[in-house]
Amino acid sequence: MDLPEFVSARTVLAYHALPDELSTAQLLATIGNKELYLPRVNGDDLEIVAYNPNSLTCGAYGIQEPVGEKTVGIESIDAVIVPAMAYDRTGNRLGRGRGYYDRLLAGSRCRKIGFVYDCQIVDRVPTDPFDVAVDVIVTDKQIIRY
């Protein structure tokens, strides 16, 4: 919550963590005066929908997703909390293989904040030219900046 990239953000895209991911529950509950959004899978893409804790449904892959018609574009988001299976020490991300976040973040100017357990930091992850790296990683034990 004290991370400068987060503090300066007016709009934040977060996510509901899966059981094997570092929990985002406290973040979602204490977001403060920011506009909070969550992703929703729509075919091969992620939509960005305003977060309402009382208006969620179990969506694709068993992830809690927001319900609602109003979506915003990534250009409206100041900071994105990005999940991963692993990050390497240069900010590259290993996702779950569908490329949702890479497509969403391609060309985006928002701050990208990785959020994982410390044991998910590895020396190197495989990358492709279309992969989007993060600007900073927050783990349960450290902060790594690039």
Side-chain angles (χ1 to χ4, degrees):
M1 299 297 281
D2 296 331
L3 193 68
E5 293 86 350
F6 185 79
V7 171
S8 66
R10 181 181 49 81
T11 56
V12 176
L13 173 62
Y15 62 94
H16 252 280
L18 290 169
D20 63 343
E21 296 175 329
L22 188 58
S23 176
T24 56
Q26 183 177 358
L27 174 72
L28 295 175
T30 59
I31 197 74
N33 60 350
K34 301 181 184 310
E35 293 178 42
L36 181 60
Y37 296 86
L38 265 61
R40 176 175 63 201
V41 174
N42 183 1
D44 287 334
D45 296 311
L46 291 178
E47 295 178 323
I48 302 171
V49 183
Y51 174 64
N52 176 343
N54 299 315
S55 186
L56 297 170
T57 189
C58 187
Y61 311 104
I63 301 170
Q64 290 293 303
E65 296 181 340
V67 174
E69 295 302 316
K70 186 178 179 193
T71 63
V72 300
I74 191 65
E75 68 279 354
S76 300
I77 302 297
D78 298 322
V80 178
I81 312 299
V82 187
M85 298 295 292
Y87 281 103
D88 69 20
R89 300 201 177 275
T90 60
N92 291 311
R93 171 181 172 273
L94 178 65
R96 295 187 182 261
R98 295 293 308 258
Y100 289 110
Y101 277 91
D102 293 315
R103 281 190 298 282
L104 178 69
L105 298 173
S108 169
R109 298 173 60 184
C110 64
R111 301 299 289 181
K112 294 168 257 327
I113 304 167
F115 194 63
V116 292
Y117 288 108
D118 202 64
C119 64
Q120 292 172 278
I121 304 296
V122 298
D123 289 333
R124 187 177 174 147
V125 298
T127 60
D128 288 308
F130 55 82
D131 289 337
V132 177
V134 296
D135 303 303
V136 61
I137 298 173
V138 176
T139 78
D140 51 327
K141 296 182 181 174
Q142 65 178 319
I143 296 173
I144 304 169
R145 295 185 179 285
Y146 305 102

